[in-house]
Amino acid sequence: MSDTRGVLVSGSQSVPYVIEREGPAATARVGDCEVVLSVRPVAPGLLAATCNGRNLQVHWVMDGSRTLLHVKGQTYEFELGRAGSREARAPIVEGDLRAPMPGVVSRMLVRPGQTVNAGDPLCVVEAMKMEHLVRAVRPGMVIRVTEPGTQVESGAVVVEVERTTEDADGR
Amino acid sequence: MSDTRGVLVSGSQSVPYVIEREGPAATARVGDCEVVLSVRPVAPGLLAATCNGRNLQVHWVMDGSRTLLHVKGQTYEFELGRAGSREARAPIVEGDLRAPMPGVVSRMLVRPGQTVNAGDPLCVVEAMKMEHLVRAVRPGMVIRVTEPGTQVESGAVVVEVERTTEDADGR
Amino acid sequence: MGAVDFTKILVANRGEIAVRIIRACRELGIATVAVYSEADALAPHMLLADEAVLLGPPEPAQSYLHIGRVVEAARRTGAQAVHPGYGFLSENPDFAAACGEADLTFIGPPPAVIRALGDKSRARRLAAAVGVPIVPGVDDPGSAEGALREAALRLGLPVLLKAAAGGGGKGMRTVRDAADLEIQAQGARREAAAAFGDDTLLIEKLIERPRHIEVQILADAHGNIVHLGERECSVQRRHQKVVEESPSPLADDPFRAALGEAAVRVARAAGYVNAGTVEFLVDDRRSFHFLEVNTRLQVEHPVTELVAGVDLVQAQIRVAAGEVLDLRQDDVSLRGWAVECRVYAEDPEAGFAPSPGRVLHLHEPQLPGVRVDSGIRAGQDIPVHYDPILSKVIAWAPTRSAAIRRMAQALREYVILGPRTNLLYLRAIVEHPAFAAGDLSTQFLPDHLGDWRPPAPPPEVLAVAATLLESNRHAPGSSRRRRAGAIAASPAFADPWDCLRGWRPS
Amino acid sequence: MGAVDFTKILVANRGEIAVRIIRACRELGIATVAVYSEADALAPHMLLADEAVLLGPPEPAQSYLHIGRVVEAARRTGAQAVHPGYGFLSENPDFAAACGEADLTFIGPPPAVIRALGDKSRARRLAAAVGVPIVPGVDDPGSAEGALREAALRLGLPVLLKAAAGGGGKGMRTVRDAADLEIQAQGARREAAAAFGDDTLLIEKLIERPRHIEVQILADAHGNIVHLGERECSVQRRHQKVVEESPSPLADDPFRAALGEAAVRVARAAGYVNAGTVEFLVDDRRSFHFLEVNTRLQVEHPVTELVAGVDLVQAQIRVAAGEVLDLRQDDVSLRGWAVECRVYAEDPEAGFAPSPGRVLHLHEPQLPGVRVDSGIRAGQDIPVHYDPILSKVIAWAPTRSAAIRRMAQALREYVILGPRTNLLYLRAIVEHPAFAAGDLSTQFLPDHLGDWRPPAPPPEVLAVAATLLESNRHAPGSSRRRRAGAIAASPAFADPWDCLRGWRPS
């Protein structure tokens, strides 16, 4: 019998777990719930799990630190966090404008030094033939912008905005 | 540029080959034919080949010394032979009765010492709910038999028959 | 139609038909329980169901044929009904009765109807009584020494030996030579006993080169019976159906109406409820002769589903739940043409010997108008203990010739590496000019494909094979391991030769 | 019908529609040539065709939109005809004309018809001239400063900006506030220019909560035109169709007849040949207004194929080869119900941002009555340069409710790991009570699923995930490599914990 503990991170959520193994079965405590399960590999990317007596087909793949799972028609992404820690991802700094998806910065509508109001259009990111307008989330001054034509990953900072004490229109 | 030679064995046939590689393409001489080809892996078990300008999807897997291929709706089995040699498989000794498939010897109809004629029923092998009657291929004397209930692989000898100078009925 | 009156159904079968039934239940919002033997521990039907109960060892008698264990599994999981599929316990009246006694709804006809029609001799008499022509024959000649021979000679050779309790070609033998009668009868009896638990035989006069045409019927418990047109299943190998289609190329509207009417008459006389099939042999003068009634879902039911636009498994479940049939004979309209090919794990190059073993690579076709009812998965070990059927390919198109072309295309794209299969043989059948002409009989295969052999590998295949084997010649551990091509780490046009190395399960 | 008069066709497209067309050609015995960009070097359509020609770099203008290169590929490979699919060059009259000049049959209407109907303003006038009601609007307000604003205010806000040359939601914007007019118009012009090479806009009065219902027509070069019933495509996100069905839950027989008759009238007035779609908006009083004609195969053509029992791609090819239509209006019969869901590589949790990337694991559903038209494969890198459509799931059943249940089941079984997709969102749509009620409009999604979020993982998923991640925590190289579960070397019931370790591509 062995006993392991850890923290499962999914998006902004962290769930601590304890797994107790006993032969081919295990008991997992996740959050406040207890699940008796056994898991058997079926084929590459496919597991047969039994959870509290029910069959589950689990499709899965690891991609870097992410583990992608598909169970009963829904896809999930998990990674391992450190016990007691919740900082699995760098928090998004409010004001920095990030690419909503991988794509190309097709047009930049502001320049450094310009002040903007919340909701102002800042730049356009294009991917899969669709344009997406990135808007300011709060008022401030543009510090840095991305060169149009640059290919960016999802979440990359495309415009840096510094908070100012007054709004762009001087209120 | 490199140049490799070998012999491809498929069933009872052997085909010598020479492969000349040049960058991503190669020229293969198989028997009397020449094929210009390039081969790119697509996914586990799947290759994209171009042969003399035509696209071919090749599904494949290696199983021990056998390589199984599926091309354009047909499945093939190959193995490598030694150049100049054609003895890829032990030849089937005429007179030894082999299991036609993996299965269970369900009934033995002869006993050692018994003489049999060509066509006489010798034993029954059962698999996938079907019975298959193994018949003598020539007259002779039964030397050895397999115990009923024995699970046998395809091609396993189930009855050994020794050629005699006269037929079973004394002719 | 609203929700069905069951919340959980046990599927007392395996393979493609169990998968098919589980999916039908799921669409109706009904939970499913699979049963499985030790040989099927990670089989698709077992993985797909909401719950799975181990029955026992691989031998059918200890697992899928074990009435007590199946009923107990249903009781323990709280299932309200049992769908038996085809084969195994599907036509066993004792099982249907045992379900009833355990307060389980058996999804099929009442036990008495199964028993009456399962006895081929009684079924023949029943059909004759309502004026449906039958094949001349002798019911149960008895097992006494010489009785069989006497019956056979009275009918006149050639004759057909059949399991009185049977179906699906098990325990069926053609005898043309009186000398073969005894050994063939013994074999037939053994197969019959193994498959159906009853070794009673029936002898029929052999109709030479008949067409096998059957009618799908559907009956509710309120006296409504419809037929859903015919299927032609003439393409058989050793009494085992290989290719089926609906409609039959032989049938015109008057023939279809007469055949359907005869089938409904037999069903009505038997007090039939649920889905069933009335089988006929049609001779060279287009006269039909009643053969038997199969009191269960047929393997080939999908061709009817595609042509009639009806889901037979869902209909079975609704009828078993007591619902009234939601279609009348006038509502039944047949559209287009459907062909089915049965994919078997067998080696056409070695006398169609069964070919169990591990599925090393699998790619099933997915094209418009093509349905694949499959019971296998990559990595599965196909057991030696059960029927060799792996899956069924069904193609629908507006016309027969388009359906045949579509089928050929689907068969070309179907990849199974590991067990040997009849896929290429099936394509040879559907691409044969005599098949295209609709010129069918149960002798079609011996007549036209008796000496069929697969074509030799063309030069491009040899070239690819040589390249592949060369690339893996010096790979470590290549001699004893299974491998397949790896996904290229780099995109296309990278140097390919290193990338042809395989991967090994870790 | 016999063999078609083409022996080789070039398919000037990519993705699922190219795969669909290649398969249709193959069934007709016609060889195929694929074209592909560098981003599609090992894409399914390129692998499936008999020959494949590289067009150029990933950018559409350098590859799939490059008329000269596509025509040259056809010429070089000896193709006699070109099928353009949808999108890309499918509605480009210059391309159709260039094909004609190169002695290639363009599989679609004549260039003049494409040009006339592709100009949305001309199309509106044409419809109005034959007495078909149109949506109030202003054709080409011009690009002069203020002209757009003036036209919009004359019609009265809200208005819809549309690419005059467009279709499929590209370059389409709703404007409710005059202040947004300029920026929205600029965006629409840019998208229109990129997608269709023409930035002319059209303004229409916005019909609030309309239903989008369209009619499939099929016309030969001999003056025969039929319609194949309607499709309802009201479920849209930002003018992009998401779920389509046939028939429309709104349509009864008189409505269908009137709509079909109007569509045929427009087509006849335009001198239409080949397959086409006449789109209508239907307001809350069930009045229909002509919208536009799409002079090509639609993405959603399969729902019509399943209900009408016609293969539209094969029909297109036959008509293009000069054959006479083999069905008259009286022969068209619609049976059952078909629903289509478009699977997009997009992230519903991040504002439906496109989600390109590698398909790490793929399992496509295979169930009776379900068709998957897919353009992807495991291991493929979904490029950032093209439409995010990955595949389409189409479910047919005798009734709408059964088709919806079947669709939900298919979506549950569809596994794509790697790019994020809208699969769960699609299921939320078809399982929504308002969808079941058939209560649709183009505002359906904002009205009913505007704040949709996926459910949190249930405990059993967390338990499985924890077990899986624990088992792989100490595996060598696990941090940067992709892995998936290995096939167990030993049969079931072996100690599983060691076996959860992944495999790495070698």
Side-chain angles (χ1 to χ4, degrees):
Chain A
M1 199 196 284
S2 63
D3 198 289
T4 48
R5 287 156 193 282
V7 175
L8 209 53
V9 179
S10 174
S12 57
Q13 278 205 308
S14 297
V15 182
Y17 63 81
V18 183
I19 303 172
E20 240 174 76
R21 289 181 189 171
E22 208 172 339
T27 302
R29 283 197 301 280
V30 284
D32 302 330
C33 302
E34 196 168 283
V35 177
V36 178
L37 80 160
S38 69
V39 181
R40 285 171 291 172
V42 174
L46 182 61
L47 302 173
T50 311
C51 292
N52 296 338
R54 300 281 142 169
N55 260 349
L56 287 183
Q57 286 199 60
V58 181
H59 295 266
W60 69 288
V61 70
M62 285 179 72
D63 181 26
S65 61
R66 294 190 309 165
T67 293
L68 310 182
L69 259 72
H70 181 280
V71 186
K72 283 193 154 189
Q74 188 166 352
T75 299
Y76 307 91
E77 290 189 22
F78 293 103
E79 41 195 294
L80 280 183
R82 279 192 214 130
S85 138
R86 299 203 166 218
E87 40 174 353
R89 285 185 183 182
I92 291 181
V93 177
E94 200 197 335
D96 287 347
L97 281 307
R98 288 162 186 274
M101 66 216 175
V104 173
V105 176
S106 60
R107 294 182 354 115
M108 183 56 63
L109 306 171
V110 293
R111 52 184 192 285
Q114 189 176 337
T115 54
V116 292
N117 275 331
D120 281 358
L122 301 183
C123 72
V124 177
V125 178
E126 198 176 318
M128 288 178 152
K129 307 311 295 166
M130 293 301 274
E131 294 193 333
H132 289 253
L133 195 60
V134 177
R135 291 175 184 274
V137 293
R138 53 147 217 223
M141 192 207 276
V142 175
I143 299 295
R144 212 179 327 195
V145 300
T146 306
E147 193 67 24
T150 309
Q151 183 136 4
V152 292
E153 288 300 301
S154 178
V157 175
V158 286
V159 178
E160 271 180 59
V161 176
E162 192 181 64
R163 188 187 284 277
T164 51
T165 48
E166 48 181 8
D167 283 3
D169 51 5
R171 269 178 296 149
Chain B
M1 198 196 287
S2 63
D3 200 288
T4 48
R5 287 154 193 283
V7 174
L8 209 53
V9 179
S10 174
S12 58
Q13 279 206 307
S14 298
V15 182
Y17 63 82
V18 183
I19 302 173
E20 242 174 76
R21 291 181 188 168
E22 210 171 339
T27 303
R29 284 197 300 280
V30 284
D32 302 330
C33 301
E34 196 168 283
V35 177
V36 177
L37 79 159
S38 69
V39 182
R40 284 171 292 171
V42 174
L46 180 61
L47 302 173
T50 310
C51 292
N52 297 338
R54 300 280 141 170
N55 260 349
L56 287 183
Q57 287 197 61
V58 180
H59 294 266
W60 70 287
V61 71
M62 286 180 69
D63 182 26
S65 62
R66 293 190 310 164
T67 293
L68 310 182
L69 259 73
H70 181 280
V71 187
K72 283 193 154 189
Q74 188 166 350
T75 300
Y76 306 91
E77 291 189 20
F78 293 103
E79 42 195 294
L80 281 182
R82 282 195 209 125
S85 137
R86 299 199 167 221
E87 41 175 352
R89 288 184 183 184
I92 291 179
V93 177
E94 199 198 336
D96 286 347
L97 281 307
R98 288 162 186 274
M101 66 217 174
V104 174
V105 177
S106 60
R107 293 179 358 112
M108 183 55 64
L109 306 171
V110 293
R111 52 186 192 284
Q114 188 175 339
T115 55
V116 292
N117 275 331
D120 279 0
L122 301 184
C123 72
V124 176
V125 177
E126 197 176 318
M128 287 177 152
K129 307 311 295 166
M130 294 301 275
E131 293 194 334
H132 290 251
L133 195 58
V134 177
R135 291 174 182 276
V137 293
R138 54 147 217 224
M141 190 205 280
V142 175
I143 299 297
R144 211 178 330 196
V145 299
T146 306
E147 194 69 22
T150 309
Q151 183 136 4
V152 292
E153 287 301 301
S154 179
V157 175
V158 287
V159 178
E160 272 181 58
V161 177
E162 191 180 69
R163 189 187 281 279
T164 52
T165 47
E166 51 182 7
D167 283 3
D169 52 4
R171 266 178 298 146
Chain C
M1 284 185 297
V4 179
D5 206 23
F6 300 124
T7 59
K8 193 186 276 190
I9 289 178
L10 181 138
V11 181
N13 216 300
R14 64 180 301 280
E16 66 86 17
I17 195 60
V19 168
R20 163 85 184 89
I21 297 164
I22 290 167
R23 290 219 161 98
C25 290
R26 205 156 274 176
E27 280 184 25
L28 293 174
I30 301 168
T32 50
V33 181
V35 290
Y36 65 101
S37 77
E38 284 165 11
D40 280 334
L42 289 174
H45 78 284
M46 178 274 185
L47 295 172
L48 190 64
D50 299 306
E51 292 167 83
V53 178
L54 177 65
L55 291 175
E59 294 70 36
Q62 297 301 309
S63 51
Y64 300 105
L65 285 175
H66 196 296
I67 294 177
R69 289 183 190 160
V70 173
V71 170
E72 169 61 14
R75 202 199 51 72
R76 212 171 71 216
T77 53
Q80 296 111 25
V82 175
H83 196 305
Y86 56 70
F88 292 124
L89 296 170
S90 62
E91 295 184 287
N92 185 322
D94 296 335
F95 177 61
C99 286
E101 282 153 26
D103 261 343
L104 294 164
T105 302
F106 175 82
I107 300 175
V113 174
I114 301 177
R115 200 177 304 276
L117 294 173
D119 179 338
K120 303 276 174 279
S121 308
R122 272 177 73 183
R124 287 159 51 86
R125 289 196 296 272
L126 186 146
V130 294
V132 173
I134 61 172
V135 182
V138 175
D139 305 335
D140 192 10
S143 51
E145 191 78 33
L148 191 88
R149 170 181 294 266
E150 194 190 317
L153 296 180
R154 199 164 64 237
L155 278 172
L157 292 169
V159 295
L160 198 57
L161 305 181
K162 300 168 68 170
K170 304 283 165 51
M172 222 160 154
R173 310 285 172 115
T174 299
V175 184
R176 295 178 178 278
D177 183 342
D180 288 343
L181 259 173
E182 275 312 315
I183 183 113
Q184 294 291 357
Q186 281 168 27
R189 283 213 167 82
R190 267 196 317 279
E191 275 184 32
F196 315 109
D198 177 353
D199 72 351
T200 309
L201 296 184
L202 168 76
I203 309 187
E204 279 177 3
K205 180 91 184 100
L206 185 77
I207 297 180
E208 297 273 11
R209 288 192 162 55
R211 300 176 80 123
H212 176 115
I213 301 183
E214 61 189 27
V215 177
Q216 176 69 52
I217 54 159
L218 194 52
D220 66 19
H222 310 281
N224 303 301
I225 308 185
V226 299
H227 72 85
L228 299 172
E230 79 286 358
R231 294 183 286 257
E232 173 145 12
C233 315
S234 297
V235 180
Q236 305 186 351
R237 211 186 61 77
R238 296 191 187 170
H239 309 296
Q240 189 85 26
K241 296 167 186 167
V242 179
V243 179
E244 302 101 341
E245 61 187 296
S246 179
S248 160
L250 184 80
D252 51 19
D253 283 342
F255 182 90
R256 177 170 305 121
L259 201 69
E261 194 271 329
V264 169
R265 213 170 339 136
V266 170
R268 199 173 294 282
Y272 204 87
V273 178
N274 215 288
T277 296
V278 184
E279 297 192 331
F280 298 91
L281 289 184
V282 180
D283 63 27
D284 52 6
R285 292 167 310 159
R286 294 170 52 103
S287 300
F288 59 82
H289 307 266
F290 170 84
L291 200 60
E292 64 185 50
V293 180
N294 291 317
T295 58
R296 54 163 162 88
L297 193 66
Q298 299 277 90
V299 176
E300 60 272 23
H301 74 275
V303 293
T304 297
E305 293 188 321
L306 294 184
V307 167
V310 170
D311 189 307
L312 285 169
V313 177
Q314 293 188 18
Q316 285 191 296
I317 295 170
R318 289 187 180 279
V319 162
E323 293 187 16
V324 175
L325 266 190
D326 67 338
L327 79 174
R328 298 175 178 284
Q329 194 61 55
D330 286 348
D331 302 330
V332 176
S333 75
L334 309 179
R335 186 163 84 178
W337 216 283
V339 179
E340 173 180 281
C341 285
R342 300 189 185 188
V343 181
Y344 289 118
E346 62 184 19
D347 186 354
E349 289 184 76
F352 295 88
S355 183
R358 181 168 288 193
V359 179
L360 301 172
H361 185 88
L362 178 67
H363 172 82
E364 296 189 326
Q366 185 152 56
L367 26 162
V370 172
R371 163 174 162 185
V372 181
D373 280 16
S374 173
I376 61 171
R377 63 165 177 80
Q380 185 185 1
D381 285 302
I382 306 301
V384 71
H385 311 87
Y386 314 114
D387 257 19
I389 193 165
L390 299 176
S391 67
K392 305 177 310 206
V393 182
I394 311 104
W396 180 93
T399 64
R400 185 169 188 266
S401 60
I404 290 173
R405 285 195 304 267
R406 188 162 273 184
M407 173 61 79
Q409 185 55 29
L411 294 172
R412 276 172 74 98
E413 293 196 21
Y414 204 148
V415 184
I416 301 174
L417 297 181
R420 289 176 184 165
T421 72
N422 65 337
L423 279 164
L424 189 62
Y425 179 72
L426 288 169
R427 187 145 62 87
I429 294 170
V430 300
E431 288 182 339
H432 196 284
F435 187 82
D439 183 15
L440 308 178
S441 85
T442 58
Q443 289 304 105
F444 180 89
L445 293 180
D447 282 355
H448 298 291
L449 285 109
D451 53 1
W452 178 83
R453 286 286 173 280
E460 65 267 26
V461 169
L462 294 170
V464 170
T467 307
L468 205 50
L469 270 75
E470 265 309 323
S471 301
N472 281 281
R473 188 200 270 274
H474 308 293
S478 71
S479 63
R480 284 290 127 209
R481 306 296 293 257
R482 285 169 180 144
R483 315 165 123 255
I487 295 181
S490 48
F493 303 121
D495 175 48
W497 308 109
D498 283 342
C499 304
L500 297 186
R501 296 275 175 83
W503 59 270
R504 285 177 286 153
S506 62
Chain D
M1 285 185 295
V4 181
D5 206 23
F6 301 124
T7 59
K8 193 185 277 190
I9 288 178
L10 180 137
V11 180
N13 217 300
R14 64 179 301 282
E16 66 88 15
I17 195 61
V19 168
R20 163 84 184 89
I21 297 165
I22 291 167
R23 289 219 162 99
C25 291
R26 204 157 274 175
E27 279 183 25
L28 293 173
I30 301 169
T32 50
V33 181
V35 290
Y36 64 102
S37 77
E38 284 166 9
D40 280 334
L42 289 174
H45 78 283
M46 176 275 184
L47 295 172
L48 189 65
D50 298 309
E51 292 166 83
V53 177
L54 177 65
L55 291 176
E59 293 70 36
Q62 297 302 310
S63 51
Y64 300 105
L65 284 175
H66 196 296
I67 293 178
R69 289 185 190 159
V70 172
V71 170
E72 170 60 17
R75 201 200 51 74
R76 213 171 70 215
T77 53
Q80 297 111 25
V82 174
H83 196 305
Y86 55 71
F88 293 125
L89 296 171
S90 62
E91 294 183 287
N92 185 322
D94 297 336
F95 178 61
C99 287
E101 282 153 27
D103 262 343
L104 294 164
T105 302
F106 175 82
I107 300 175
V113 174
I114 300 177
R115 201 175 302 276
L117 294 174
D119 179 338
K120 303 277 173 277
S121 307
R122 273 178 73 183
R124 286 159 52 84
R125 289 196 297 273
L126 186 146
V130 295
V132 173
I134 61 173
V135 181
V138 175
D139 304 338
D140 192 8
S143 51
E145 191 81 31
L148 190 88
R149 171 183 293 264
E150 194 191 318
L153 297 181
R154 200 164 63 237
L155 278 172
L157 293 168
V159 296
L160 198 57
L161 305 181
K162 300 168 67 169
K170 303 283 164 52
M172 221 159 155
R173 310 285 171 115
T174 299
V175 183
R176 296 180 179 275
D177 183 344
D180 289 345
L181 260 173
E182 275 311 316
I183 184 112
Q184 294 291 358
Q186 281 168 28
R189 282 213 168 83
R190 268 198 315 280
E191 275 184 33
F196 315 110
D198 178 352
D199 72 352
T200 308
L201 295 185
L202 168 74
I203 310 188
E204 279 177 5
K205 179 91 184 98
L206 185 76
I207 297 179
E208 298 273 9
R209 286 191 164 58
R211 300 176 79 124
H212 177 116
I213 300 182
E214 61 189 29
V215 177
Q216 176 70 52
I217 55 160
L218 195 51
D220 66 19
H222 310 281
N224 304 300
I225 308 186
V226 298
H227 74 85
L228 300 171
E230 80 287 355
R231 294 184 287 257
E232 173 147 12
C233 316
S234 297
V235 179
Q236 306 185 351
R237 211 186 60 79
R238 297 193 186 166
H239 310 293
Q240 187 84 27
K241 295 166 187 168
V242 178
V243 178
E244 302 101 341
E245 60 188 297
S246 181
S248 160
L250 185 81
D252 50 20
D253 283 343
F255 183 90
R256 176 170 305 120
L259 201 70
E261 194 270 329
V264 169
R265 210 167 344 134
V266 171
R268 198 174 296 284
Y272 204 88
V273 178
N274 216 290
T277 296
V278 184
E279 296 191 331
F280 298 91
L281 289 185
V282 181
D283 64 27
D284 52 7
R285 291 167 310 159
R286 293 169 54 102
S287 300
F288 58 80
H289 307 267
F290 170 84
L291 201 59
E292 62 185 51
V293 180
N294 290 317
T295 58
R296 53 163 163 85
L297 193 67
Q298 299 277 90
V299 177
E300 60 270 24
H301 73 277
V303 293
T304 297
E305 294 188 321
L306 294 184
V307 167
V310 170
D311 190 306
L312 285 168
V313 177
Q314 293 189 19
Q316 284 190 296
I317 295 169
R318 289 188 180 279
V319 162
E323 292 187 17
V324 175
L325 266 190
D326 67 337
L327 79 172
R328 299 174 180 284
Q329 194 61 54
D330 287 349
D331 302 330
V332 176
S333 74
L334 309 179
R335 185 164 83 178
W337 216 282
V339 180
E340 173 180 282
C341 285
R342 299 189 184 186
V343 181
Y344 290 118
E346 63 184 17
D347 185 355
E349 288 185 74
F352 295 89
S355 183
R358 180 169 289 192
V359 179
L360 302 172
H361 185 88
L362 179 68
H363 173 81
E364 297 190 325
Q366 186 151 58
L367 24 163
V370 172
R371 163 176 162 185
V372 181
D373 280 17
S374 173
I376 61 171
R377 62 165 177 80
Q380 187 186 357
D381 285 304
I382 306 301
V384 71
H385 311 87
Y386 315 115
D387 257 18
I389 194 165
L390 299 176
S391 67
K392 304 177 313 207
V393 182
I394 311 104
W396 180 93
T399 64
R400 185 169 188 265
S401 61
I404 291 173
R405 285 196 304 268
R406 189 162 272 182
M407 174 61 78
Q409 185 55 28
L411 294 172
R412 277 172 73 97
E413 292 198 22
Y414 204 148
V415 184
I416 300 174
L417 297 181
R420 289 174 184 166
T421 73
N422 65 338
L423 278 164
L424 189 61
Y425 179 71
L426 289 169
R427 187 144 64 87
I429 295 171
V430 300
E431 289 182 339
H432 196 285
F435 187 82
D439 183 14
L440 307 178
S441 85
T442 58
Q443 290 304 106
F444 180 89
L445 293 180
D447 282 355
H448 298 292
L449 285 110
D451 53 2
W452 178 83
R453 287 285 172 281
E460 65 267 27
V461 168
L462 295 170
V464 170
T467 307
L468 205 49
L469 269 76
E470 265 308 323
S471 301
N472 282 282
R473 186 200 271 276
H474 309 293
S478 70
S479 63
R480 287 287 127 212
R481 304 300 293 261
R482 287 171 179 141
R483 312 165 124 256
I487 295 180
S490 48
F493 303 120
D495 175 50
W497 309 108
D498 284 343
C499 305
L500 297 185
R501 295 276 175 80
W503 58 269
R504 287 176 289 151
S506 62

